[in-house]
Amino acid sequence: QVQLVESGGGLVQPGGSLRLFCAASRSIFSIYTMGWYRQAPGKQRVLVAHITSGGTINYADSVKGRFTISRDNAKNTVYLQMNSLKPEDTAVYYCNAGRLAGYWGQGTQVTVSS
């Protein structure tokens, strides 16, 4: 079993930045692909970015050049640095281990509004 705990969400103005954190309950990065997904009101949950156990990174087209996913193996923590935020980035952001059939955090709200 793996527990994932997200933090770092909040309210930010357009053009601002936030950094999300996902702490895993144990060392899993060598086993699982770690990802960030988001779900806006009335929409499906979609992939934002992921990093494989081998270190390959992929981003959704909508966030390329603005968001950066990274991980700290020693701290069992995955990060999502979000810059140049837009109102359409507003959503609940979820941390994931092991892709869609894997483990999920409880989510953290990100609201981009003036």
Side-chain angles (χ1 to χ4, degrees), residues 10-18 84-87 111-114:
L11 173 64
V12 64
Q13 292 186 342
S17 298
L18 281 175
S84 303
L85 283 161
K86 305 175 181 179
T111 302
V112 185
S113 175
S114 55

Side-chain angles (χ1 to χ4, degrees), residues 38 40 43 62 66 85-91 93 112:
R38 68 186 182 188
K43 296 187 177 181
S62 58
R66 300 189 298 123
L85 283 161
K86 305 175 181 179
E88 51 263 43
D89 295 318
T90 296
Y93 284 70
V112 185

Side-chain angles (χ1 to χ4, degrees), residues 23-106:
S25 58
R26 59 183 178 89
S27 179
I28 58 172
F29 298 163
S30 63
I31 302 172
Y32 293 113
T33 291
M34 300 299 300
W36 287 98
Y37 290 72
R38 68 186 182 188
Q39 187 167 18
K43 296 187 177 181
Q44 290 187 331
R45 191 175 298 186
V46 295
L47 177 68
V48 175
H50 72 223
I51 179 168
T52 69
S53 58
T56 300
I57 291 174
N58 285 292
Y59 296 98
D61 287 344
S62 58
V63 306
K64 281 181 181 177
R66 300 189 298 123
F67 290 13
T68 303
I69 187 171
S70 61
R71 68 188 183 197
D72 185 328
N73 294 340
K75 296 182 178 180
N76 294 334
T77 300
V78 178
Y79 308 95
L80 185 68
Q81 178 66 42
M82 305 186 294
N83 299 328
S84 303
L85 283 161
K86 305 175 181 179
E88 51 263 43
D89 295 318
T90 296
V92 178
Y93 284 70
Y94 296 91
C95 181
N96 167 270
R99 303 184 190 263
L100 294 180
Y103 301 96
W104 295 90
Q106 81 285 354

